[in-house]
Amino acid sequence: MHDYRHPAEPFRIKSVESIRLLSRQERLRILQEARYNVFKIKAEDIYIDLLTDSGTGAMSNEQWAALMRGDESYAGARSFYRFEKTVREITGKKFIIPCHQGRVAENVFFSSVLKAGDYVPNNTHFDTTRANTQHKGGIAIDLPCPEAATNEQIPFKGNIDVERLESFIEKKGADKIPVVFMTVTNNSSGGQPVSMANIRETSALCKKHGIRFYFDCARFAENAYFIKQSEPGYQDKSIKEIAQEMFSYADGALMSAKKDGLANIGGFIALNDDGLRQKIIELLIIIEGFPTYGGMSGRDIDAMAAGLQEVLNEEYLAYRVGQIEYFGSIIEQAGAPIIKPTGGHAIFIDAGHYLPHIPVDQFPGQSLTVELYREGGVRAVEIGSLMFGGLDPVTGEKITAPRELVRLAVPRRVYTGSHLEYVADCIARITKRKNDLRGLKIIRQAAFLRHFTADMAPLKEEEIKVG
Ligand code: PLI
């Protein structure tokens, strides 16, 4: 498409925020104080923050202008109707319920559809979706396609395994499965996209069994861009048309607009089922607010509506996906194995392969995450045994994480190519002495989502095992 390393940023910078790199000595002290959990480090002590792409993006001048249009009326605000029109147009759903972020949408949705002991299959649950399912007594089932666990350079590794889904439905019975979810893009499986064909097949299977089919659509526009790039028949369609077709196969969707809504806060539920809407709204009013503001100010709703329109811009998506691809290539050159092909919002380093001398119960992913901060003030997040291992809070069974990954999530429109090159340089320095890295142990942990708050400590010499 072009001869550059990746499409240059299709925007110029109008407002800047200073960042600083603390001394190595300060970083060591901060790590100790944070108990080796990077969630507990203050943002001002981070140089490059790749913890998440959620709510961390830069808004456009149009979004800042939209803030001024915000209508702060308690009920029936203009902001809501502008937002509703935008989401209806993209999703084709009748009812649009605003929620201040994705996990609230999950909370009110699962509280309204789940009974204890029900199953919720998904291509791969994101951690809050899993926790919300479990919190209501449900059992979260991941059914990623077999290619997801390989390093094959093929598109659409975010797909659900339709055959396994079918046999799962036949085994457990449709009455035990109130909803099947599809996460687009598949965040926990490497930000990999899902194909339209897979969406269509899953939808047909759910219809056949009378089971609801919903999207967890936090990154739907990035997914639509991958479909345009790689799935035959979509090259001449606009991103909006592709998104509309994706949503046409689902009964509804839950969205965290902190990703492809290009907003710092926001989310929604879109659906056609009026009975379910009523149930959701009853709970929403108790925990979020009136259904025309759902826990948000009018200005936030307007900024989200503007972001949802902007994200459909193909030039923006080409830059976004191109930037991630470039980032992946320089990290690989720096010596760290990554999940390939690169997905839409992050690079996932395979820490299990990078640090094979650290066994999974000594958290190789967390070891690399800690080292990235120590080396260069870079904040990443572990997606491995710390996030997904431990004991199932519902069944008490021991859970094994599928892989030991470290995610470097790239906030939207925030960091330039040279910031990303700096991160790759840090990895190159770590690679030179990676055999000296050690594992960690947990000192204290919570039952749900333990990675957010766990206290950790480096292992003592006598505690070190070899992987
Ligand atoms: O952070 P929330 O509550 O607005 O959204 C939760 C959520 C739901 N689904 C998916 C696919 C997500 O990626 C997600 C949040 N993701 C975060 C915070 C992330 O760092 O990836």
Side-chain angles (χ1 to χ4, degrees):
M1 196 176 115
H2 51 75
D3 298 318
Y4 310 112
R5 321 177 272 217
H6 65 90
E9 288 74 10
F11 50 80
R12 56 184 179 178
I13 296 163
K14 196 166 195 156
S15 171
V16 296
E17 186 181 1
S18 295
I19 49 177
R20 64 189 179 135
L21 177 61
L22 299 178
S23 69
R24 186 172 180 86
Q25 212 173 1
E26 284 172 306
R27 299 198 297 273
L28 294 179
R29 173 184 54 79
I30 284 163
L31 270 176
Q32 222 173 14
E33 285 170 8
R35 308 245 177 222
Y36 301 89
N37 184 338
V38 293
F39 280 99
K40 299 194 211 180
I41 299 179
K42 285 184 186 160
E44 66 177 3
D45 296 334
I46 307 278
Y47 184 45
I48 306 288
D49 201 347
L50 305 182
L51 181 68
T52 178
D53 63 322
S54 176
T56 51
M59 291 208 297
S60 68
N61 52 346
E62 294 301 329
Q63 285 178 289
W64 282 103
L67 286 182
M68 282 307 292
R69 279 196 295 276
D71 174 349
E72 306 303 342
S73 305
Y74 189 95
R78 292 174 195 85
S79 302
F80 171 74
Y81 294 106
R82 286 192 279 265
F83 159 74
E84 182 186 51
K85 183 164 175 277
T86 302
V87 181
R88 263 196 193 143
E89 201 180 328
I90 297 170
T91 64
K93 305 300 170 227
K94 239 188 277 178
F95 305 117
I96 314 301
I97 304 170
C99 304
H100 86 268
Q101 64 180 90
R103 70 199 69 188
V104 184
E106 291 158 14
N107 182 0
V108 292
F109 179 82
F110 288 123
S111 298
S112 307
V113 304
L114 273 191
K115 294 188 307 296
D118 279 347
Y119 296 94
V120 181
N122 197 323
N123 44 353
T124 314
H125 287 82
F126 180 66
D127 57 356
T128 60
T129 327
R130 183 185 312 279
N132 265 302
T133 302
Q134 293 170 338
H135 193 250
K136 318 300 170 228
I139 302 160
I141 305 292
D142 289 340
L143 297 173
C145 65
E147 299 80 26
T150 70
N151 236 10
E152 265 183 272
Q153 286 268 23
I154 51 166
F156 304 119
K157 285 165 69 176
N159 285 352
I160 201 165
D161 187 332
V162 181
E163 267 176 42
R164 271 174 74 205
L165 176 62
E166 183 154 27
S167 48
F168 186 82
I169 295 171
E170 278 159 11
K171 195 163 132 209
K172 300 293 179 187
D175 57 328
K176 294 290 284 175
I177 306 174
V179 59
V180 168
F181 260 88
M182 185 78 99
T183 306
V184 291
T185 56
N186 190 343
N187 184 2
S188 306
S189 184
Q192 300 289 320
V194 175
S195 71
M196 194 72 88
N198 191 249
I199 291 170
R200 209 179 291 125
E201 270 183 66
T202 310
S203 169
L205 180 64
C206 290
K207 248 193 202 94
K208 182 171 124 193
H209 290 276
I211 301 173
R212 290 180 193 92
F213 176 47
Y214 269 63
F215 283 138
D216 176 353
C217 66
R219 300 175 181 86
F220 75 95
E222 289 166 6
N223 200 91
Y225 181 77
F226 280 109
I227 289 177
K228 176 154 181 154
Q229 268 197 319
S230 307
E231 194 161 355
Y234 290 94
Q235 281 62 53
D236 297 326
K237 295 205 176 225
S238 69
I239 298 297
K240 187 170 172 181
E241 285 168 333
I242 296 171
Q244 285 169 330
E245 184 180 335
M246 285 165 59
F247 284 109
S248 74
Y249 298 117
D251 297 299
L254 272 51
M255 175 154 188
S256 165
K258 297 171 72 173
K259 288 82 170 171
D260 275 353
L262 302 180
N264 300 122
I265 197 76
F268 62 80
I269 301 174
L271 75 174
N272 285 327
D273 179 342
D274 197 16
L276 181 53
R277 176 187 79 116
Q278 301 283 359
K279 240 174 135 173
I280 288 173
I281 280 176
E282 275 176 34
L283 184 56
L284 189 86
I285 291 175
I286 298 170
I287 66 172
E288 275 281 86
F290 194 72
T292 60
Y293 76 85
M296 276 172 287
S297 61
R299 54 183 172 271
D300 286 330
I301 295 179
D302 259 311
M304 170 170 53
L308 284 164
Q309 290 165 24
E310 258 172 39
V311 78
L312 301 172
N313 180 308
E314 199 175 325
E315 243 177 51
Y316 157 74
L317 287 167
Y319 140 77
R320 168 79 179 153
V321 170
Q323 187 192 41
I324 301 289
E325 198 181 332
Y326 172 66
F327 191 28
S329 71
I330 57 178
I331 287 176
E332 257 200 306
Q333 282 164 25
I338 62 165
I339 292 195
K340 290 198 284 192
T342 50
H345 68 290
I347 296 304
F348 293 73
I349 297 178
D350 186 339
H353 278 105
Y354 187 59
L355 303 173
H357 61 287
I358 303 181
V360 297
D361 61 352
Q362 297 186 349
F363 308 106
Q366 187 64 7
S367 172
L368 176 58
T369 303
V370 164
E371 197 57 31
L372 272 164
Y373 181 76
R374 193 182 281 135
E375 177 62 41
V378 175
R379 177 153 65 174
V381 66
E382 190 259 15
I383 303 194
S385 289
L386 178 60
M387 185 180 276
F388 290 129
L391 300 180
D392 185 302
V394 178
T395 63
E397 282 167 28
K398 191 166 162 36
I399 321 166
T400 315
R403 279 190 279 189
E404 302 301 322
L405 304 177
V406 170
R407 186 184 74 171
L408 301 164
V410 183
R412 292 169 182 78
R413 307 187 292 204
V414 169
Y415 293 117
T416 62
S418 52
H419 287 121
L420 302 184
E421 284 158 10
Y422 167 85
V423 176
D425 289 347
C426 290
I427 291 172
R429 286 198 294 271
I430 294 172
T431 299
K432 287 194 190 135
R433 53 182 170 75
K434 73 186 178 79
N435 294 339
D436 300 335
L437 264 59
R438 293 181 173 187
L440 297 138
K441 61 182 174 186
I442 296 178
I443 306 294
R444 191 197 56 80
Q445 61 182 307
F448 286 94
L449 301 176
R450 66 176 181 176
H451 56 287
F452 285 129
T453 54
D455 289 339
M456 306 199 71
L459 292 171
K460 296 192 189 111
E461 202 64 48
E462 64 274 18
E463 293 169 322
I464 295 171
K465 289 189 266 174
V466 178

